[in-house]
Amino acid sequence: MSVEHPLRIGLIGVGNMGLGMALRLREAGFAVTVCDLLPEREALAVAAGATQAPQPKDLAAHCDLVIVAVVTAAQCDQVLFGPLGLTTSAYQKFDVMLCPTIAPLDVERFAQQLAGQDLGCIDAPMSGGPVRARDGSMSLMVACEDALFERYTPVLRQLSSRLFRISSSPGDGARTKL
């Protein structure tokens, strides 16, 4: 394993894509905390050196960036804003990267809600499948503020050999992918 990277990463959803991302980031020296509905998926990440958080809200205190790798907009809404969601944490010093392929209007709504709590949002739908998520060769279509892009470029480059910087407006990444 390489030297620990100063950025701390959370990953909500360690299914087919999320687990590959978690393992890739751990190998690159990032501190990774995971949360998933399935304990056996979390256990695979923990075996590789990640830590486990019981609920999305528990990730906040341990992360600079929380990557959401769930499937649907409803799941995103739940893990971000539900009763045990990320934004219910008293600790509010993290940014969020949305990786699912969801409607641009949903991404825009989530970004606005996050901004209302002074939390940054990176719209970064992914493409490539589990093998490419694991080896860092998947595609990411990124739309976010320039400062967020610059701050998290080390994470984005670890995850993607095909990094497309679309714009500074969350929702545009989703539009491009769709």
Side-chain angles (χ1 to χ4, degrees):
M1 185 178 305
S2 63
V3 175
E4 284 293 315
H5 195 283
L7 288 174
R8 301 165 306 148
I9 309 301
L11 227 145
I12 299 176
V14 284
N16 289 332
M17 298 294 282
L19 181 62
M21 295 164 70
L23 298 176
R24 173 87 181 163
L25 291 169
R26 264 314 292 142
E27 282 181 357
F30 290 89
V32 175
T33 303
V34 298
C35 182
D36 196 279
L37 291 174
L38 301 175
E40 60 272 18
R41 297 302 291 186
E42 292 173 331
L44 294 171
V46 169
T51 57
Q52 183 268 337
Q55 299 294 335
K57 72 180 180 89
D58 301 315
L59 282 173
H62 305 283
C63 301
D64 301 301
L65 178 66
V66 178
I67 300 170
V68 177
V70 297
V71 179
T72 69
Q75 291 170 334
C76 284
D77 191 46
Q78 187 67 25
V79 301
L80 291 173
F81 308 108
L84 299 173
L86 190 59
T87 60
T88 65
S89 171
Y91 184 85
Q92 297 281 314
K93 296 185 190 283
F94 56 88
D95 298 301
V96 174
M97 184 165 109
L98 298 174
C99 289
T101 302
I102 57 177
L105 291 177
D106 288 321
V107 174
E108 290 169 352
R109 178 172 50 90
F110 296 145
Q112 288 172 354
Q113 287 177 272
L114 290 166
Q117 295 185 30
D118 290 326
L119 302 174
C121 180
I122 300 171
D123 172 19
M126 56 191 165
S127 179
V131 171
R132 289 180 56 202
R134 178 67 179 93
D135 72 14
S137 66
M138 69 177 171
S139 299
L140 291 174
M141 285 123 290
V142 179
C144 64
E145 295 175 1
D146 292 341
L148 287 173
F149 186 80
E150 289 173 25
R151 180 168 190 212
Y152 297 113
T153 292
V155 177
L156 297 168
R157 295 243 181 259
Q158 249 338 292
L159 296 174
S160 174
S161 64
R162 295 180 179 118
L163 185 59
F164 300 96
R165 177 77 163 108
I166 306 303
S167 77
S168 60
S169 300
D172 287 350
R175 268 184 205 81
T176 300
K177 180 159 184 203
L178 292 175

